[in-house]
Amino acid sequence: MIGLRGIRKTYGRITALDGLELDVREGEFFCLLGPSGAGKTTTLKTVAGLEHPDSGTVELDGKDMRGVEPYDRGVAMCFESYALYPHRSAYDNLASPLRSPRHRLPAAEARDRIGAIAELLGISGLLDRPVGQLSNGQRQRVALGRVLVRPARAFLLDEPLSHLDAKLRQQMRAELKAIGAVQHTTTLYVTHDSVEALALGDRIGVIRNGRIVQTGTREEIWYQPYDTEVARAFGRPRINLLPGTVTEDGSFRSADGKVELPVRAQARAGTDVLVGVRPRDLFLTGPGHELTGTVYVTEVLGRSVEVTVRLGEQHVSLVAPRADTTGLRPDDPVRLTVRPENLLLFEADGPQGPGRLIGTR
C-alpha cells in the first residue's frame, strides 16, 4: 500500500504539492490524472524517494519512509524521459536491474525474464540494437521493460505510453493491466489522458494544483464528478455545459429560456447553475426529453458523426451513427432527445473556481 499524508513540496516560490493526501491499495492499479504542472511527476518522485517533501510523510505498507533511501524502498519507476543508457543495447538496458547486487538473478533466469518482457512489449527483435538507434516509441518500451523486468513492491509509471502511436498505445493499455493483475503488484500510473485513466484504472485520482480533487472508480468519476473541471476532463467530445437558473419546481431553465430539463437541484429557485449533458446522452432519434434546434456543423468520425446543434444561444455536441445523419446540412431543423437520468447540475463557475456538483436526475 502507498500512503501520502499531507505532502507539501515547493521549488522556490512554486508549490508543486500542497498538502496532498492519497491512498493506493495493495495490488491496485491506480491512475493519477491531471494536466501538466499539476504535480503528478513530483508525486511519483516523492514516493520513490527521489524528492524529499518539505512536510508530510510517505508510507509504504504502513511504514514511514522518512530517511529510507530510494534503493531500499523496493519500488520501480519508469520515467517519461526514458533514462536509458544510449550507448548500450536494448538487452543490456533491460538486464541492468538484474545485475545489481540487490536484484541479481542467475544468467539463465535473467535471460528468460528479459525475453518474456521483451515479447510482451513487442521489442524482441530490437534487443541487440543500441538504444541510441531506436525510435522514441521503441525507447519508451525499453524503458517500461526495464521497470517491469525486476520484482518490486510497487511500480511507478510516469506517462509510459505517451510516445507510442495510437494503435500500439491501445494495445499496450490492455497488456499493462494484465501485467498488474498477473503480478499482483501495486501500480501508481500517471497520465494526462482521461481515456487511459478510464481504461486502466481500478480507481482514478484527479490532481489539480498539487491537491487531490477527487478519487473514485471510473463510474463514480463519470456519473458524480466533483466539479465542472473534472466533468470536462472525461469524455470525448467533452460534456456539454449549458448556463441557466433553477426554476421554482427545482428544474433547469437555460439563460435564453429555450431549454428546460428535469434535474433535481439542491439549490433555491433563481440560482445560477450549469447543466451537464454528455454527448452520449443526446440522440437524434428515440424516446426521451425533447429539445428542438438547428444543425450547426457535422464532422464525420468514421462510422459515426459528431453533430453540433444550436439550441437557442447555446451549442451542444452529440455523436450519432452515420445512418442517422444522412442528408443533414447546416441550419436544418432537428429534434433531439436527452437521457434525463444522466443529467448533472453544477454551481456556476466563478472567480473562486469551477462549480461543484449540486444535483442529478
Side-chain angles (χ1 to χ4, degrees):
M1 188 190 76
I2 300 172
L4 300 176
R5 312 286 178 234
I7 299 295
R8 181 175 175 81
K9 179 65 179 177
T10 60
Y11 300 96
R13 296 182 178 180
I14 298 174
T15 300
L17 300 177
D18 187 12
L20 185 139
E21 299 276 345
L22 181 64
D23 282 299
V24 181
R25 300 164 185 162
E26 184 177 356
E28 182 176 43
F29 200 114
F30 189 98
C31 285
L32 188 61
L33 176 82
S36 297
K40 304 187 299 298
T41 298
T42 303
T43 300
L44 292 189
K45 289 182 176 179
T46 301
V47 174
L50 303 177
E51 295 284 0
H52 299 290
D54 301 330
S55 60
T57 58
V58 176
E59 297 176 357
L60 294 177
D61 294 335
K63 297 179 181 179
D64 189 344
M65 291 292 105
R66 188 182 291 109
V68 179
E69 295 297 328
Y71 51 78
D72 284 328
R73 298 193 178 196
V75 300
M77 181 168 175
C78 179
F79 297 87
E80 186 181 4
S81 58
Y82 314 135
L84 298 170
Y85 302 108
H87 60 288
R88 295 185 182 179
S89 68
Y91 183 93
D92 284 339
N93 273 274
L94 290 173
S96 59
L98 304 181
R99 292 170 177 165
S100 69
R102 295 173 182 274
H103 308 290
R104 190 184 302 277
L105 292 178
E109 186 177 344
R111 281 196 302 271
D112 290 343
R113 193 171 182 87
I114 291 168
I117 292 296
E119 183 176 356
L120 179 68
L121 298 176
I123 54 175
S124 298
L126 306 174
L127 294 181
D128 294 331
R129 292 177 58 181
V131 165
Q133 296 179 10
L134 302 181
S135 69
N136 284 341
Q138 291 166 341
R139 292 179 192 177
Q140 183 111 58
R141 282 179 279 166
V142 173
L144 180 57
R146 191 175 65 174
V147 171
L148 301 178
V149 76
R150 74 171 178 87
R153 296 164 70 185
F155 293 141
L156 309 176
L157 307 181
D158 190 1
E159 307 212 35
L161 308 184
S162 59
H163 296 285
L164 304 183
D165 62 66
K167 181 178 180 180
L168 186 56
R169 189 182 304 123
Q170 185 174 10
Q171 174 187 333
M172 284 302 303
R173 285 176 196 153
E175 299 292 358
L176 270 175
K177 193 65 181 289
I179 291 168
V182 170
Q183 298 184 353
H184 303 287
T185 304
T186 304
T187 302
L188 179 53
Y189 183 101
V190 154
T191 181
H192 66 275
D193 186 339
S194 63
V195 174
E196 279 187 10
L198 290 171
L200 290 171
D202 296 325
R203 286 192 304 142
I204 300 167
V206 181
I207 186 171
R208 184 191 307 155
N209 300 326
R211 290 174 173 259
I212 299 296
V213 177
Q214 182 177 6
T215 61
T217 64
R218 59 179 63 87
E219 290 81 12
E220 290 168 342
I221 296 285
W222 183 269
Y223 292 110
Q224 292 187 315
Y226 175 74
D227 59 21
T228 55
E229 192 162 332
V230 174
R232 290 186 182 101
F234 291 89
R236 298 176 182 172
R238 297 207 308 180
I239 189 170
N240 301 294
L241 291 171
L242 304 178
T245 57
V246 177
T247 64
E248 291 292 340
D249 63 359
S251 297
F252 167 85
R253 180 181 294 124
S254 64
D256 59 11
K258 296 186 177 180
V259 177
E260 293 195 15
L261 293 170
V263 182
R264 294 197 185 101
Q266 299 173 5
R268 65 179 184 274
T271 301
D272 290 333
V273 292
L274 293 167
V275 71
V277 187
R278 295 199 181 274
R280 65 170 58 186
D281 294 320
L282 281 169
F283 307 90
L284 291 172
T285 59
H289 188 87
E290 291 192 352
L291 302 171
T292 57
T294 57
V295 175
Y296 182 69
V297 69
T298 61
E299 181 180 356
V300 177
L301 306 173
R303 296 182 179 180
S304 59
V305 178
E306 181 180 347
V307 184
T308 302
V309 176
R310 186 187 295 111
L311 298 176
E313 299 176 357
Q314 304 298 321
H315 294 83
V316 297
S317 296
L318 63 106
V319 177
R322 292 189 67 173
D324 293 345
T325 64
T326 302
L328 276 186
R329 297 290 184 271
D331 297 325
D332 283 353
V334 290
R335 186 178 298 275
L336 305 181
T337 58
V338 60
R339 188 179 290 155
E341 61 269 22
N342 292 337
L343 293 175
L344 303 170
L345 198 70
F346 301 91
E347 299 171 338
D349 292 339
Q352 72 280 5
R356 296 185 182 182
L357 182 70
I358 58 173
T360 62
R361 180 66 178 90

